[in-house]
Amino acid sequence: AHILARSARSLDIGMMQPGQYFIYVADFGAFTSTSYTAHQTMKKRFGHFAYILQAVKELPKIRSHHVKNTTESEVFEDDYIFGAVCNTRSIGGFIKLSPSEAQLDDGRFELFLVKSPKSLGEFCRILYGVVSHKRDLDVITFRHVKSVSFESAEDIRWSLDGERGHEKAETNIQT
């Protein structure tokens, strides 16, 4: 609509060192490779369902990463099965953010980290938090950030806007 009306709108753009840019999301962990590993034939035939089928195939491969996350005001360190720095109101159609949680032009991104569940109870709390949009649970970290760095003892494979990103042990992201 903005293009047809010829009106411009500012959007935040993220930069992942070294010089990789994204608008939607930079993420790692569970299901982040689904968008580029689902076969094109399946996408054409089944649409969104092709991504769900691919995600089910990836379930046995989910593993956690021990990561130290440093923002401009806080440090978090834990084992995570998913992490995202995003500028959207929907991540993969499953994680929904309200307009008050995510503004696309405020100079900040939303940091979303999901801890590795250590019990069935923690796994249930993660599912509850994702489905019910609860952000104050001990298994989910949600913050607004201008920059964040990720440090791990091992390389972490990143996805940028649904495409394969780099694999590094240290990554810096800023708006």
Side-chain angles (χ1 to χ4, degrees):
H2 288 286
I3 293 172
L4 294 175
R6 296 184 182 185
S7 62
R9 178 177 179 198
S10 296
L11 292 176
D12 298 326
I13 296 175
M15 185 177 71
M16 176 183 280
Q17 303 295 352
Q20 294 181 305
Y21 297 91
F22 65 96
I23 295 173
Y24 165 55
V25 64
D27 53 8
F28 70 87
F31 311 118
T32 56
S33 65
T34 301
S35 61
Y36 57 83
T37 56
H39 294 293
Q40 193 63 32
T41 318
M42 295 293 283
K43 292 177 194 178
K44 286 181 181 177
R45 184 175 294 158
F46 298 111
H48 191 71
F49 189 65
Y51 297 106
I52 295 170
L53 290 174
Q54 184 63 32
V56 170
K57 285 173 42 179
E58 292 179 11
L59 278 171
K61 299 177 189 174
I62 293 175
R63 62 196 249 325
S64 65
H65 297 279
H66 189 84
V67 183
K68 179 181 177 183
N69 309 282
T70 305
T71 72
E72 59 271 12
S73 60
E74 295 179 272
V75 177
F76 310 102
E77 185 170 359
D78 215 316
D79 295 327
Y80 299 99
I81 58 168
F82 177 79
V85 179
C86 59
N87 191 40
T88 183
R89 294 196 180 115
S90 176
I91 304 171
F94 295 103
I95 300 171
K96 304 284 187 184
L97 302 174
S98 71
S100 65
E101 288 179 306
Q103 295 179 19
L104 307 181
D105 60 355
D106 63 352
R108 300 180 304 165
F109 280 101
E110 285 61 50
L111 173 64
F112 194 86
L113 300 166
V114 178
K115 291 183 183 179
S116 181
K118 294 175 180 56
S119 67
L120 182 58
E122 284 188 0
F123 180 74
C124 290
R125 284 202 318 277
I126 289 168
L127 289 178
Y128 170 74
V130 169
V131 171
S132 67
H133 313 290
K134 297 289 183 191
R135 308 288 180 240
D136 57 352
L137 303 174
D138 62 338
V139 291
I140 296 174
T141 300
F142 179 77
R143 298 289 190 277
H144 301 283
V145 299
K146 288 183 177 273
S147 65
V148 59
S149 66
F150 299 83
E151 297 173 53
S152 177
E154 61 188 12
D155 286 350
I156 296 175
R157 177 181 293 164
W158 285 84
S159 172
L160 294 175
D161 290 338
E163 299 296 327
R164 184 183 303 262
H166 68 233
E167 280 187 57
K168 294 194 176 196
E170 292 186 22
T171 299
N172 297 303
I173 297 176
Q174 59 191 357
T175 56

